[in-house]
């Protein structure tokens, strides 16, 4: 029997629940007997246990959890792999903290997720931001060019690591990752990759090649985004020959992850690894047939454009004369929920199928036709936020959360050009900060912010956008 067919954690919990255990331990729901939640949730609670004899311990695994993580490493070709039960956020924080010390330089692709910037803050780093190129296909920020990374490494040879995002939220993949890995290797800088949306890349063509096999030292993946894992369930992989030691990352994961890890989350990670490791060529053909039919039928809907990014699991929809937010809302009214929308388009994440879903396909296509038909006559469409400046390298003097205190003031964002942002302003999703503390507010960013607000985008961070205000550094009397 192929060892990848095993699910050690899931099987351990299944056998334990079948033994009808009596609980005089935490958690307090006592195997679901005391909860008032519906039966669908109560049944799962028999697996929501703690570190009892025979159930192993995520922070010192010696039994089924250790075996499951070893199977994970084998499936992804890593030197060592870890289960993350606090999401990819915990993995991003751990690899950053393990690679640098307060005051160190670290080179970062600017369109990173907010968790990366939070890691820079916790580590007390001085980041060097590398702007991505604009991807015209998806109308979104794309990859960082190798030439710009090379220049950043030349300018800041003391940097302790390079952090990239691959793929982007919109499914674009860097064509330069192997070249960048060579640049980092030659400079002695570990290459850390937030591959949150690429846990399925190991399947092979037509899916992109995974970052780990293209030279990355450490890769973090959100198993819950594209594999059948529960929310907050992620993987972290350390490559063979990594410039960053696995033990250092393990040390920080022990600090960042809950001391009471969720066994259902670990079981779902075990199951997600099993799902991808046993994905066959026949399974792939099932998905590709679904994908081909989906793209073909949707492309035939009047007024709807379908864009296929590098990752076949992502589809971008644009409705002529309407914002992406309006299209997403129309789809939601028909019971079809997109992953995200922006002023220009809506993004779908397709299921990584193993069996035919003809009924699902028919339902989605019918709902999409109704949604597009309900939009009515055209209205003002959000303009794609095409940057007017070329990608650049920008060094910061400190981490991106310098506390403004009395040195900051709230002003109308329309009047903020040339001022320095004093807080993060984050469209969510995708969770990529539009403004970071210490960055100048440009006319371009004001235009992008206006487009987002006009389309009804939700924002995180410190802002008062309900009254059109952002926080900026107070000008000196001489200004």
């Amino acid at each position: 029997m192929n060892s990848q067919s095993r699910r050690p954690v899931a099987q351990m919990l299944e056998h334990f629940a079948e033994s009808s255990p009596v609980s005089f331990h935490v958690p307090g729901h006592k195997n679901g007997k005391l909860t008032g939640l519906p039966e669908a949730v109560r049944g799962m609670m028999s697996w929501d246990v703690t570190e009892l004899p025979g159930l192993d311990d995520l922070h010192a695994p010696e039994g089924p959890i250790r075996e499951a993580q070893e199977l994970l490493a084998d499936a992804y070709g890593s030197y060592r792999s870890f289960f993350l039960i606090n999401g990819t956020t915990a993995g991003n924080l751990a690899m950053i903290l393990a690679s640098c010390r307060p005051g160190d330089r670290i080179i970062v692709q600017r369109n990173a997720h907010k968790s990366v910037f939070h890691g820079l803050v916790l580590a007390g780093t001085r980041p060097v931001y590398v702007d991505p190129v604009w991807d015209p296909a998806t109308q979104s920020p794309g990859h960082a060019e190798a030439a710009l990374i090379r220049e950043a490494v030349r300018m800041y040879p003391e940097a302790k690591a390079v952090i990239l995002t691959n793929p982007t939220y919109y499914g674009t993949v860097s064509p330069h990752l192997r070249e960048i890995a060579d640049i980092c290797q030659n400079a002695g800088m570990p290459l850390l990759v937030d591959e949150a949306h690429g846990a399925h890349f190991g399947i092979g063509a037509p899916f992109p090649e995974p970052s780990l096999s293209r030279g990355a030292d450490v890769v973090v993946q959100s198993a819950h985004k594209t594999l059948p894992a529960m929310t907050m369930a992620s993987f972290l992989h350390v490559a063979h020959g990594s410039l960053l030691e696995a033990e250092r990352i393990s040390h920080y994961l022990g600090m960042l992850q809950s001391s009471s890890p969720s066994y259902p989350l670990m079981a779902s990670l075990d199951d997600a690894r099993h799902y991808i490791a046993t994905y066959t060529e026949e399974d792939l053909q099932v998905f590709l047939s679904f994908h081909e039919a989906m793209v073909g039928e949707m492309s035939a809907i009047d007024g709807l454009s379908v864009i296929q990014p590098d990752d076949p699991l992502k589809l971008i929809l644009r409705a002529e004369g309407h914002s992406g937010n309006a299209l997403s809302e129309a789809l939601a009214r028909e019971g079809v929920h997109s992953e995200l929308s922006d002023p220009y388009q809506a993004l779908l994440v397709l299921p990584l199928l193993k069996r035919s879903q003809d009924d699902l396909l028919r339902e989605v296509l019918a709902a999409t036709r109704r949604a597009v038909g309900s939009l009515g006559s055209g209205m003002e469409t959000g303009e794609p936020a095409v940057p007017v400046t070329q990608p650049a390298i920008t060094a910061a003097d400190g981490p991106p959360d310098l506390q403004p205190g009395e040195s900051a003031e709230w002003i109308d964002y329309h009047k903020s050009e040339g001022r320095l942002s004093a807080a993060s302003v984050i469209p969510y999703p995708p969770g990529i900060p539009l403004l970071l503390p210490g960055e100048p507010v440009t006319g371009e960013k004001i235009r992008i912010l206006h487009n987002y607000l006009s389309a009804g985008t939700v924002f995180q961070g410190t802002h008062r956008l309900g009254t059109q205000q952002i926080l900026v550094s107070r000008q000196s009397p001489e200004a």
Side-chain angles (χ1 to χ4, degrees), residues 196-404:
H197 289 261
H200 59 293
F201 280 6
I203 290 173
F207 291 100
E209 187 179 3
S211 300
L212 201 66
S213 64
R214 296 170 72 190
D217 290 276
V218 182
V219 174
V220 187
Q221 301 169 328
S222 295
H224 66 93
K225 292 190 184 298
T226 59
L227 301 182
M230 295 170 65
T231 298
M232 290 178 62
S234 295
F235 299 142
L236 185 148
H237 308 289
V238 181
H240 292 277
S242 171
L243 294 175
L244 188 56
E245 294 180 1
E247 283 303 322
R248 286 191 57 79
I249 294 174
S250 178
H251 170 72
Y252 283 102
L253 285 177
M255 295 182 181
L256 295 165
Q257 300 220 88
S258 172
S259 59
S260 300
S262 166
Y263 278 79
L265 285 182
M266 286 188 281
S268 89
L269 283 169
D270 192 21
D271 183 63
R273 182 272 315 157
H274 171 269
Y275 191 91
I276 192 71
T278 58
Y279 203 83
T280 66
E281 181 63 30
E282 290 75 17
D283 295 329
L284 178 58
Q285 293 308 311
V286 168
F287 168 78
L288 293 178
S289 295
F290 175 87
H291 181 274
E292 182 181 5
M294 186 92 158
V295 173
E297 294 288 344
M298 282 196 166
S299 298
I301 298 174
D302 288 341
L304 189 69
S305 299
V306 181
I307 294 85
Q308 175 62 72
D310 297 327
D311 179 6
L313 215 57
K314 301 287 180 71
L315 281 185
I316 294 171
L317 305 182
R318 296 176 189 151
E320 184 177 351
H322 298 274
S323 73
N325 301 70
L327 174 59
S328 181
E329 290 170 3
L331 287 168
R333 287 194 294 271
E334 297 294 337
V336 175
H337 298 273
S338 61
E339 169 63 17
L340 66 80
S341 60
D342 62 31
Y344 193 55
Q345 58 208 351
L347 175 69
L348 305 184
V349 180
L350 302 184
L352 188 64
L353 298 174
K354 281 191 174 185
R355 55 185 178 275
S356 179
Q357 293 282 348
D358 292 339
D359 290 343
L360 171 64
L361 181 60
R362 284 192 295 270
E363 290 173 10
V364 170
L365 292 173
T368 303
R369 291 189 188 96
R370 293 193 299 268
V372 174
S374 72
L375 290 172
S377 58
M379 62 180 75
E380 182 180 354
T381 304
E383 291 296 322
V386 181
V388 296
T389 55
Q390 293 297 312
I393 299 169
T394 308
D397 292 330
D401 85 326
L402 302 176
Q403 296 297 319

Side-chain angles (χ1 to χ4, degrees), residues 412-418 434-435 441-453 470:
D412 187 318
Y413 78 85
H414 296 97
K415 302 175 182 179
S416 63
E417 185 171 2
L434 177 62
L435 292 172
V441 182
T442 63
E444 182 178 303
K445 292 197 172 184
I446 292 173
R447 176 172 61 89
I448 295 171
L449 180 56
H450 176 76
N451 285 344
Y452 273 125
L453 288 172
I470 61 172

